[in-house]
Amino acid sequence: MPSDPHRFTLVITGAPYASQAPRTALGFARAAVAKGHAIDRVFLYGEGVHLASALSCPPSDEAHWTDAWAEFLDSHAIP
């Protein structure tokens, strides 16, 4: 654990598959948690709301960012 852990709130404004925002934010969130910091919550705004869509159907050669985010948030109890 870091000597002075930080707490973060993330805002994602880019749509999955049209923006790097969900991918970059998830990478940051994973790294922050691994270093002992906390993610308090994640807000989806603008095109970012598509990250929460149950209708998300990624291209076959792309990561499923909706599932990846859901798994991360569930495993760390992040609203």
Side-chain angles (χ1 to χ4, degrees), residues 55-69:
L55 302 176
S56 177
C57 186
S60 62
D61 62 340
E62 292 278 342
H64 198 297
W65 296 114
T66 299
D67 288 351
W69 265 104

Side-chain angles (χ1 to χ4, degrees), residues 20-58:
Q20 292 283 65
R23 178 181 180 173
T24 303
L26 184 57
F28 172 82
R30 286 177 174 158
V33 168
K35 291 287 187 179
H37 302 293
I39 306 296
D40 287 333
R41 64 189 72 257
V42 176
F43 289 103
L44 305 176
Y45 184 76
E47 293 292 313
V49 301
H50 295 291
L51 186 59
S53 175
L55 302 176
S56 177
C57 186

